[in-house]
Amino acid sequence: MESLRVQRLQPGVGGTLRSLRPGVTTGALPSAASAPPLPPPPPPLGLTLTLGPPPAPPPLPPSLLPGVTAGATAAASPPGAAGGPPAVLREAVEAVVRSFAKHTQGYGRVNVVEALQEFWQMKQSRGADLKNGALVVYEMVPSNSPPYICYVTLPGGSCFGSFQFCPTKAEARRSAAKIALMNSVFNEHPSRRITDDFIEKSVTEALASFNGNREEADNPSTGIGAFRFMLESNKGKSMLEFQELMTVFQLLHWNGSLKAMRERQCSRQEVLAHYSHRALDDDIRNQMATDWVNREQNIPGALSRELASTERELDEARLAGKELRFHKEKKDILMLAAGQLGNLHSSNC
């Protein structure tokens, strides 16, 4: 019985999937430039941050909420993503980096690449649960001329990218490190933790937004009840940690896998309980790529259009300083799908 339940929860089991276009964004942080200031965070960081109060956490994908159309539950934007000019974002990031420098190395310049690595090593030494270690990973986009682009993936999985025009690869690396350091530091503030009060406020706002009643919030089979279940299962975690988990569900929704699970009579609670403990790995990526090929292979030009759209979304999010994991994972899955399509066409020749 258990093996049958797990099989129903696997992407790609039970036929091909129809296309869904959720339009769900992935940022989880508020605007850094225009919001009123917060009090300084507590030790050990002791940084003076002029950042705004936290929004509600990212909502569940639309397919897990009742009566919500695609793209209607976009998460709050990260620093600089609220439509402000790029200069505002640069100033906000530089202010945090300068503050970090003052509290760690005096008033001189700070090596942001080293500072970001040391920050996560400090978190690991103080007991942070980093399953894959404290290594910060950088990835340069292949290019023979500027502007150069770099992505940085934090130990928990969150991804950020260079948000400035970078004439050198070294500058692109520093730009990515700056925005990642800013988000890492801000994420330590107590207001970024999921608490009982935070859950109650978020659920109340969700009920008001979707005209729900209190009974729905206590019933895990409803969309709002599943939302509450998700928050309570992640009590004590930070917004970045919660966003990393949400990326899995956003990808399952984009790929059509959540719809297929509903058609196999999987309950929302089953899906949440199963995938809350699944990390994004090569097996999941390859299966999602296979699902996409099965769904779209007979539509002329579908892959090229989807890739172009995804790359455009990724660039826009990167330049706005947003968290990029969803967009980047989607692009990687589509590249895997391109390889599978190529192999499929070769075998048919």
Side-chain angles (χ1 to χ4, degrees):
M1 180 66 70
E2 178 65 20
S3 62
L4 288 175
R5 186 183 71 83
V6 172
Q7 186 184 45
R8 290 189 300 125
L9 289 164
Q10 298 302 318
V13 178
T16 60
L17 308 176
R18 291 190 294 123
S19 174
L20 291 176
R21 296 293 181 269
V24 181
T25 61
T26 61
L29 298 173
S31 171
S34 60
L38 281 174
L45 293 175
L47 302 179
T48 304
L49 303 181
T50 56
L51 300 172
L60 293 177
S63 59
L64 291 181
L65 289 171
V68 183
T69 58
T73 58
S77 298
V88 175
L89 175 59
R90 289 198 297 272
E91 290 171 6
V93 174
E94 293 293 346
V96 172
V97 172
R98 285 195 301 271
S99 180
F100 190 92
K102 284 194 295 183
H103 288 83
T104 56
Q105 299 180 5
Y107 288 83
R109 293 176 61 83
V110 60
N111 184 322
V112 288
V113 174
E114 291 182 5
L116 181 62
Q117 184 61 64
E118 290 171 3
F119 178 90
W120 284 93
Q121 288 173 342
M122 175 199 72
K123 281 181 63 67
Q124 185 180 44
S125 69
R126 296 184 179 183
D129 183 18
L130 305 177
K131 296 180 176 59
N132 298 316
L135 182 64
V136 175
V137 178
Y138 293 86
E139 178 186 346
M140 291 295 305
V141 175
S143 176
N144 294 322
S145 61
Y148 294 100
I149 297 171
C150 181
Y151 296 104
V152 56
T153 301
L154 300 179
S158 294
C159 180
F160 298 91
S162 51
F163 62 98
Q164 300 160 288
F165 181 95
C166 299
T168 67
K169 294 179 180 180
E171 182 58 36
R173 186 181 175 98
R174 286 192 293 269
S175 179
K178 285 178 186 178
I179 194 72
L181 178 61
M182 179 183 188
N183 281 273
S184 297
V185 169
F186 187 32
N187 196 55
E188 294 301 302
H189 195 277
S191 64
R192 307 308 296 166
R193 297 283 161 180
I194 298 175
T195 63
D196 288 328
D197 289 343
F198 192 73
I199 292 171
E200 286 304 318
K201 181 180 178 182
S202 301
V203 170
T204 300
E205 290 176 353
L207 288 170
S209 298
F210 301 111
N211 298 318
N213 55 57
R214 180 53 59 176
E215 288 72 24
E216 289 183 58
D218 298 328
N219 182 355
S221 66
T222 66
I224 293 177
F227 181 40
R228 183 179 195 129
F229 171 81
M230 185 70 131
L231 289 172
E232 290 180 343
S233 299
N234 290 275
K235 194 183 301 181
K237 290 187 177 180
S238 69
M239 290 295 101
L240 278 184
E241 290 174 309
F242 189 67
Q243 182 58 54
E244 289 155 12
L245 173 64
M246 288 303 302
T247 300
V248 177
F249 293 101
Q250 287 173 306
L251 288 168
L252 289 171
H253 175 65
W254 160 74
N255 196 52
S257 297
L258 289 179
K259 182 177 185 296
M261 292 174 203
R262 288 201 309 275
E263 291 172 349
R264 296 195 294 273
Q265 285 76 52
C266 294
S267 69
R268 289 186 178 95
Q269 193 169 17
E270 276 186 306
V271 174
L272 293 173
H274 181 74
Y275 280 99
S276 293
H277 303 286
R278 289 291 304 273
L280 273 171
D281 54 23
D282 289 342
D283 288 340
I284 289 183
R285 293 184 188 97
N286 280 311
Q287 185 60 64
M288 287 187 178
T290 300
D291 292 345
W292 196 94
V293 170
N294 290 338
R295 189 185 69 207
E296 303 279 4
Q297 64 175 313
N298 295 322
I299 303 177
L303 180 61
S304 59
R305 288 193 297 272
E306 185 78 357
L307 260 175
S309 174
T310 299
E311 288 177 345
R312 184 171 58 253
E313 292 169 356
L314 179 59
D315 277 342
E316 290 173 353
R318 175 181 59 81
L319 293 172
K322 292 185 179 182
E323 203 280 328
L324 304 174
R325 184 79 184 276
F326 170 68
H327 300 291
K328 193 167 182 303
E329 288 284 353
K330 187 165 72 164
K331 179 181 176 181
D332 291 344
I333 290 168
L334 288 170
M335 295 302 293
L336 288 172
Q340 293 182 13
L341 274 174
N343 293 336
L344 182 64
H345 292 159
S346 297
S347 64
N348 291 336
C349 292

